[in-house]
Amino acid sequence: MEHTRYEDTSSFPEQDPLYIQTTVAIGKTLLKGLPRMDKTKMKLLFVMLEHINWREPADSNIIVIDNQLAKKRLRWNIKEDATVASRIRNGFKNMVTECMITVQTAEDTKDDIPLILDVYGNKNYTAVAVNPVFMDQISYLPAYEEQYFQFNIEDIMGFRSQYSIYLYLELRQRQKYKEQYRKQCKLHTPCLTKVKFATKSLKDIMGLDLKKYMSNKIEKGTNDKKGHFNRWKFEKDVLVKPLEEISHSHMIELFPPSERAREIEWINPQWYSKEKCNGHVRYYHIWFCVREGLSDTAYGRYVNDARFNEISQGFAAESEKQKYQV
């Protein structure tokens, strides 16, 4: 996919004036607390993040989304604007109850509170009210130094599998750095990183229950059915397909298993290996490196203020309605 340079000027790129920015960001605390939602809702969440100038303080907790931008990002082939608007609103309305974040309260207890409080819109724009508790996790993030992650919005929108999104987010968080450069120059210099996942940790990352990949088989010599873990299907869905998609991403570069791994571990596809113990899979190993320089280029650094003004003006006619004011 060709990158689009998006400068902070009043003119828009001729090829597609709807795209606002290339990189989005989210605080570590909120990212770790995100529940596992389906692919469409996860992409809608990142579309919402794209409409925030996360490098500056937010003026309000109401985020206004351009429905046409969302349609293009989600690659919907829908002609009627009203239908597009309805699908976007319904997606966010479902997230009001589904996207609950666990937070530590003053009484040393944990409570689940919603990320999104309410949604309203017309056929052109959608207004999402974000819980003010989480605004510091999606705006003015550079003030928190290393307490946030950046993501390539085109990567997120290009994934066909929701498992690709979750594995992509997990790998991004596990990037390791060259310590000597961080201590001396405070530079973030990513290095080749090897991560290992046990089967259970992969299930947790993907939000899978224990029965998701169980297949019922008749026990030999009996009529009883016994559940067996279908590892082949599990690996195909949560590793093979996602890693193939991530290998084409802008931000994460995958590497084949090392020569040493080829000697001591069981190599399956080109992007991961399996470590076995007594014939059973103990860990899955993945090698990768984040292309953090991607976020330093011009098209990922600037937000076009003229586009934001156009969005807010387009929604201004609705601002006198009672529901919007509430």
Side-chain angles (χ1 to χ4, degrees), residues 121-248:
N122 56 29
K123 73 175 184 178
N124 297 313
Y125 302 96
T126 301
V128 180
V130 175
N131 193 327
V133 172
F134 298 111
M135 287 307 295
D136 65 347
Q137 291 290 305
I138 59 177
S139 69
Y140 203 28
L141 290 171
Y144 298 92
E145 298 180 353
E146 300 177 9
Q147 298 304 310
Y148 70 97
F149 291 104
Q150 287 180 250
F151 298 97
N152 185 274
I153 188 72
E154 296 175 0
D155 288 348
I156 299 290
M157 296 303 151
F159 293 141
R160 296 182 179 181
S161 168
Q162 68 188 53
Y163 299 136
S164 300
I165 297 176
Y166 290 124
L167 186 57
Y168 176 89
L169 299 181
E170 186 69 23
L171 292 178
R172 178 67 184 87
Q173 296 175 73
R174 294 196 180 208
Q175 173 64 60
K176 294 181 180 178
Y177 299 88
K178 296 179 181 178
E179 290 298 327
Q180 63 270 28
Y181 290 106
R182 294 186 70 185
K183 291 178 180 179
Q184 296 172 8
C185 310
K186 295 184 179 180
L187 293 176
H188 295 272
T189 308
C191 59
L192 180 63
T193 300
K194 176 186 176 181
V195 293
K196 63 180 182 180
F197 299 104
T199 301
K200 184 182 183 305
S201 64
L202 273 176
K203 288 180 178 180
D204 292 340
I205 290 167
M206 304 303 180
L208 302 173
D209 57 38
L210 294 176
K211 298 180 180 179
K212 179 69 177 180
Y213 290 94
M214 300 297 285
S215 58
N216 291 324
K217 294 184 179 179
I218 302 293
E219 285 291 288
K220 217 173 198 181
T222 71
N223 292 323
D224 299 329
K225 287 186 177 180
K226 186 176 181 180
H228 293 269
F229 179 57
N230 190 336
R231 187 170 294 278
W232 176 84
K233 186 177 187 303
F234 173 80
E235 291 175 352
K236 184 183 73 169
D237 288 349
V238 306
L239 279 174
V240 178
K241 288 181 180 179
L243 286 172
E244 174 60 26
E245 288 196 310
I246 292 172
S247 71
H248 298 289

Side-chain angles (χ1 to χ4, degrees), residues 11-22:
S11 61
F12 303 133
E14 293 182 1
Q15 60 268 39
D16 201 331
L18 286 173
Y19 287 177
I20 295 178
Q21 52 188 329
T22 302

Side-chain angles (χ1 to χ4, degrees), residues 1 27 49 68 88 91 117 134 149 157 214 240 247 250 263:
M1 182 183 297
L49 295 177
Q68 289 303 310
I88 294 173
L117 300 178
F134 298 111
F149 291 104
M157 296 303 151
M214 300 297 285
V240 178
S247 71
H250 296 75
E263 296 174 5

